[in-house]
Amino acid sequence: MSFVYPGLLFFLVLGAIPIIIYYLMRFRSLRVDWGADYILERALARRRRKLYLDQIILLALRALAVMALVAAFARPLSRKAGTDGAGGEVLRVLLVDGSYSMLAREGSGTRRDVAMDAMRQLVSRWERGAKWSLYSLDGNPDWLVDHAEVTVAANCLQTIDALEVEETDVSLAAGLETVLAHGVGERREIYIFADDQASTWAGVEQITAQLDSSARVFWVRPPLSDHRNLAVTQLEAGHERALRGFEFPVYATIRNFSSEAVRDAELAFFVDNVRIGAKRISLPPGQNTAVSMDVRLNEIGEHLVTARLKDDALPFDNELSVGVKAAESVSILVLRDADRTGAFTSSAKWLAVAARVFADGVGKKAAPPLQITEHSEPACELATLAAHDVVVLDGGRTLTGPMAETLRRYVDQGGGLVLAADQNVNHEVWRRELGGRQLLPAAPRRVVTRPIGSKECRQLSRSGFDLPALRDLDTGVDGDITRVQFYSWTEFEAPDPEAEVLARFSDGSPYAWQRRFEHGSVILLAAGLNSWNNNLLVRETVYPFLLHLFTESASAGEYPRSVGINEPVVYMAEGDAAPVAAQFGLRNEEPVLATLTPHARGVRVEYAPGSARSGAGSLLVLRDSGRERVWVGIQGERRDSDLTPMTDDDHKALQERFQWTEVASAEELMGVLDEEGRGSERYGWVMLAVLAFAMGEILMGLRFV
């Protein structure tokens, strides 16, 4: 017999209170002599021995009633002899799966809810002085409790309640290897709180640690009737800085992690939590699909775009978000020499024509989406460049060392540089001045020119978009991009390892590269924008092409609005009113302070640790003039989304090896422990004893009335 709260047993001394009261009352008795006193004395003498025994029984019943009540508050537990070792000494070891697959739902609760309930009930039954250990199997597996003694059950419950689910996959093989080697030689009870995920249990049959004969294993395996699970694995915005009123695409990648086909699943898209549309998805097992949605932002400022699947077995991975900033227009500065005024010597004239077409399309009340400015002054100051979102450099401007250095500083401050390698480019100067300053995604080698109308030409591909910036041209909604023909193009050396392909020619060779820096980017085109020797000018795709190209280049001034787990979250706060404070927050979590650092273009707001889990995050920037919220999508790799259970054969083999007792709920676990006498409560029996002693005291008291 043991007790949950043995400290209360010190109050058993309260059982002496009835005895103390009895003798105190005897001392206070008053003796009065009267005439027939001797007759009463003779009668009492004959019954004295029987009355004395009745008083002893009455006092005993009163004392036992008080002591039994104290014992009831101490919560007695009974044990079968030998089940937990001599004196009840047994080490309880808890192995807890901390991966997000435990959030799979069955009915109104999750598997984690079942595991947490079972752990709480288990811990609450342990007696004072019991030893226990807890191994958390998460992203950083470790012993949270190691051979600790139970002092107060509430403290153990606090440790249990502090457990969290992390965005990671786990290996029960490694966890069990560690747990089985823990406390060897002691009598142990090992409790496994994990799901039946096949990937989690992979390799368990190969562990070398062995169970000793005195160890018992319990597996709390919450049920899951439907293991089918879809997940949003990636969400990309065509541009993280979009133009107000102009559509841009977002691309969601969906994966079916189950071994069964999924039909007619709904993927909905939201802007600032307002539903804008949905699409239906059917996926074979283990396959991916990409779903696009055109988004239009009608208000300038920060927005959050979200792709969300309808709830399935695991809602945790059904949503991803990305932040997008809507701007009024893109300001473009075209560099050219003053004497380069010919039709094909610079891209300035052609881009000016395109800008006028855009202006006519949006009407007189709205600002044109592309604002073209020419700069032909000999001096090229950083302040001049910094006033524009994008700078265009082609063969129409003579490149010098000082200009290249200014362009480098412009990119470092967040500017977007577009290099159009036309027929007038001096390749040697570009390689020396731009390449020496890491501004060339690939070094130009030579210009290839063919007669217009000849069979040998380059055409753009509808499937050569590694990045989302120009990818919506593959649908043909804005015209057939493959109809664009180039009879003059530049061939390049091997690209820089950090360069990414924006678009390709139909033969697979790159047409456009992009290299992003911390805050700024360079886009390199294999053909010029001066309309020489190509039909881009007369194709219907020219305007969407230019709009996406320069919007993407202007996005270089924005820090990424979609980052990975534990990646820094950064924002450049510009404007006259400098920020006074900033916070980073994730939904359902307390916000934390972000740092403010002065920068040439404003104040750099940063939360360096980043987020430990995926979801919609934001930087709240506080200024004296108000506040602004910058949305950021935290996107993590879906590493634990495959809910496929282990096979029946694997399950049978593991059960034979570990001889575990398998339960599906806290109630089943408590029932098994009670049946085996492992901590069965005897509270009810003690309360019956209290009632019996109290009734006996009443009946004995009636004998004296």
Side-chain angles (χ1 to χ4, degrees):
M1 178 73 71
S2 60
F3 295 87
V4 175
Y5 304 111
L8 295 179
L9 297 179
F10 289 109
F11 292 95
L12 289 175
V13 297
L14 297 178
I17 291 179
I19 301 173
I20 295 173
I21 293 175
Y22 171 76
Y23 283 102
L24 286 177
M25 294 301 295
R26 289 192 62 181
F27 293 150
R28 293 181 58 186
S29 62
L30 179 63
R31 183 178 180 87
V32 180
D33 294 332
W34 58 300
D37 185 57
Y38 73 97
I39 299 175
L40 183 60
E41 286 290 343
R42 292 180 63 183
L44 288 175
R46 288 194 301 268
R47 300 190 59 190
R48 190 178 302 277
R49 180 174 298 178
K50 190 174 186 311
L51 286 174
Y52 182 74
L53 181 60
D54 289 348
Q55 290 174 349
I56 293 298
I57 294 174
L58 181 61
L59 285 177
L61 288 172
R62 289 172 175 172
L64 288 173
V66 173
M67 295 171 68
L69 190 60
V70 171
F73 280 107
R75 289 177 60 183
L77 302 173
S78 68
R79 297 183 180 278
K80 287 183 179 179
T83 56
D84 285 336
E89 286 294 333
V90 60
L91 173 64
R92 283 91 169 193
V93 184
L94 276 57
L95 174 60
V96 184
D97 182 352
S99 62
Y100 66 81
S101 63
M102 289 291 287
L103 298 178
R105 288 190 175 277
E106 177 71 17
S108 60
T110 67
R111 287 179 152 186
R112 175 174 170 79
D113 294 336
V114 174
M116 293 293 288
D117 185 31
M119 282 188 282
R120 292 188 187 103
Q121 292 195 38
L122 180 66
V123 169
S124 65
R125 296 160 64 102
W126 293 344
E127 68 274 15
R128 183 185 180 92
K131 291 183 179 180
W132 73 300
S133 298
L134 190 153
Y135 190 79
S136 178
L137 196 59
D138 49 30
N140 297 296
D142 199 5
W143 291 102
L144 300 185
V145 180
D146 187 357
H147 278 84
E149 287 192 1
V150 176
T151 54
V152 180
N155 294 340
C156 301
L157 291 174
Q158 287 180 358
T159 303
I160 299 297
D161 291 337
L163 293 173
E164 295 183 354
V165 170
E166 294 189 7
E167 211 157 331
T168 184
D169 52 357
V170 297
S171 171
L172 266 174
L176 270 176
E177 185 85 26
T178 302
V179 166
L180 293 180
H182 181 75
V184 174
E186 301 179 68
R187 298 188 67 86
R188 294 177 295 168
E189 291 177 0
I190 298 174
Y191 297 88
I192 302 172
F193 298 91
D195 53 29
D196 57 0
Q197 202 174 8
S199 58
T200 300
W201 288 86
V204 171
E205 69 282 353
Q206 300 175 3
I207 62 177
T208 58
Q210 298 294 323
L211 278 173
D212 51 68
S213 59
S214 63
R216 286 294 310 276
V217 180
F218 299 86
W219 179 20
V220 179
R221 178 193 181 186
L224 187 65
S225 57
D226 187 358
H227 291 80
R228 289 177 298 177
N229 182 46
L230 291 179
V232 183
T233 58
Q234 187 178 32
L235 182 66
E236 297 178 287
H239 313 291
E240 292 184 339
R241 169 175 166 165
L243 289 173
R244 181 180 66 87
F246 285 83
E247 287 187 343
F248 66 95
V250 292
Y251 303 95
T253 303
I254 314 301
R255 180 173 178 82
N256 181 4
F257 280 95
S258 66
S259 57
E260 302 177 48
V262 175
R263 301 183 182 278
D264 291 329
E266 181 183 276
L267 178 68
F269 291 85
F270 300 80
V271 173
D272 301 329
N273 288 325
V274 177
R275 182 182 171 116
I276 62 170
K279 293 191 175 181
R280 291 284 174 177
I281 302 169
S282 295
L283 265 178
Q287 297 298 307
N288 295 323
T289 187
V291 180
S292 65
M293 175 67 69
D294 289 330
V295 177
R296 185 193 304 270
L297 303 177
N298 295 318
E299 295 183 6
I300 295 175
E302 305 291 338
H303 300 274
L304 182 71
V305 180
T306 302
R308 184 182 303 154
L309 287 162
K310 266 198 169 181
D311 285 352
D312 54 13
L314 185 59
F316 180 87
D317 54 18
N318 285 350
E319 177 181 311
L320 282 180
S321 300
V322 63
V324 178
K325 177 180 180 179
E328 185 68 36
S329 61
V330 176
S331 175
I332 304 169
L333 182 67
V334 183
L335 302 178
R336 71 170 181 85
D337 294 339
D339 58 347
R340 300 289 183 95
T341 57
F344 304 116
T345 57
S346 171
S347 58
K349 285 190 175 182
W350 185 57
L351 293 178
V353 171
R356 286 197 296 271
V357 172
F358 277 123
D360 294 339
V362 299
K364 296 181 179 180
K365 294 184 179 181
L370 300 182
Q371 298 180 348
I372 309 296
T373 303
E374 296 183 33
H375 181 73
S376 57
E377 300 295 329
C380 188
E381 302 294 336
L382 178 61
T384 303
L385 304 185
H388 300 273
D389 301 314
V390 180
V391 171
V392 177
L393 175 66
D394 58 11
R397 179 74 186 212
T398 302
L399 181 64
T400 63
M403 180 186 297
E405 183 60 30
T406 302
L407 290 173
R408 175 70 214 195
R409 294 168 58 195
Y410 169 72
V411 172
D412 287 343
Q413 290 189 11
L417 176 61
V418 175
L419 303 175
D422 56 33
Q423 79 284 0
N424 299 317
V425 167
N426 187 322
H427 294 165
E428 180 181 351
V429 174
W430 272 37
R431 285 195 299 266
R432 182 180 69 249
E433 302 298 345
L434 296 178
R437 292 170 174 82
Q438 311 300 317
L439 291 179
L440 277 178
R445 186 175 60 190
R446 66 174 182 139
V447 174
V448 178
T449 302
R450 297 290 183 264
I452 295 179
S454 66
K455 293 183 178 180
E456 187 178 357
C457 65
R458 291 284 177 91
Q459 294 174 286
L460 291 179
S461 170
R462 289 180 60 174
S463 59
F465 309 105
D466 293 358
L467 298 176
L470 302 175
R471 196 179 296 161
D472 67 328
L473 297 175
D474 66 356
T475 63
V477 173
D478 295 316
D480 187 357
I481 192 69
T482 64
R483 302 292 296 275
V484 178
Q485 298 174 332
F486 295 88
Y487 296 94
S488 176
W489 64 89
T490 300
E491 293 182 346
F492 294 86
E493 307 286 351
D496 187 282
E498 297 184 9
E500 300 175 283
V501 177
L502 280 177
R504 298 180 187 274
F505 289 119
S506 57
D507 64 357
S509 61
Y511 163 71
W513 285 279
Q514 181 181 45
R515 182 180 177 185
R516 275 191 173 271
F517 298 88
E518 180 189 8
H519 189 50
S521 76
V522 178
I523 292 178
L524 175 62
L525 304 179
L529 292 176
N530 57 12
S531 73
W532 184 72
N533 269 16
N534 63 67
N535 65 347
L536 183 62
L537 179 64
V538 297
R539 298 309 311 177
E540 67 278 11
T541 55
V542 60
Y543 301 114
F545 170 80
L546 290 178
L547 196 64
H548 290 306
L549 177 69
F550 289 117
T551 302
E552 175 63 18
S553 184
S555 298
E558 307 295 333
Y559 281 99
R561 305 299 176 87
S562 174
V563 299
I565 292 176
N566 297 325
E567 289 184 2
V569 179
V570 188
Y571 170 66
M572 184 62 66
E574 303 180 53
D576 297 332
V580 295
Q583 293 179 328
F584 171 77
L586 202 66
R587 284 178 181 171
N588 303 321
E589 291 187 6
E590 290 294 325
V592 291
L593 289 176
T595 59
L596 304 178
T597 306
H599 189 274
R601 296 189 66 170
V603 176
R604 189 173 188 267
V605 182
E606 179 179 14
Y607 181 63
S611 171
R613 67 175 181 86
S614 61
S618 65
L619 284 169
L620 181 63
V621 182
L622 306 176
R623 309 175 190 255
D624 291 334
S625 57
R627 62 177 62 187
E628 61 180 325
R629 186 175 295 277
V630 181
W631 291 104
V632 179
I634 314 297
Q635 300 193 19
E637 182 183 357
R638 304 309 194 186
R639 300 168 55 185
D640 199 40
S641 293
D642 188 351
L643 302 180
T644 304
M646 69 172 77
T647 64
D648 293 339
D649 291 342
D650 290 340
H651 179 244
K652 182 179 179 181
L654 291 176
Q655 190 166 25
E656 290 177 354
R657 176 176 179 181
F658 295 103
Q659 293 296 310
W660 60 45
T661 301
E662 189 173 319
V663 296
S665 65
E667 291 72 20
E668 286 189 27
L669 178 61
M670 298 305 109
V672 170
L673 295 178
D674 287 343
E675 288 177 5
E676 297 184 356
R678 296 171 180 266
S680 301
E681 293 242 18
R682 292 296 179 257
Y683 180 82
W685 292 104
V686 177
M687 289 304 297
L688 286 176
V690 172
L691 182 61
F693 293 147
M695 291 298 297
E697 188 272 340
I698 293 174
L699 294 176
M700 288 298 298
L702 292 177
R703 292 172 57 87
F704 294 91
V705 177

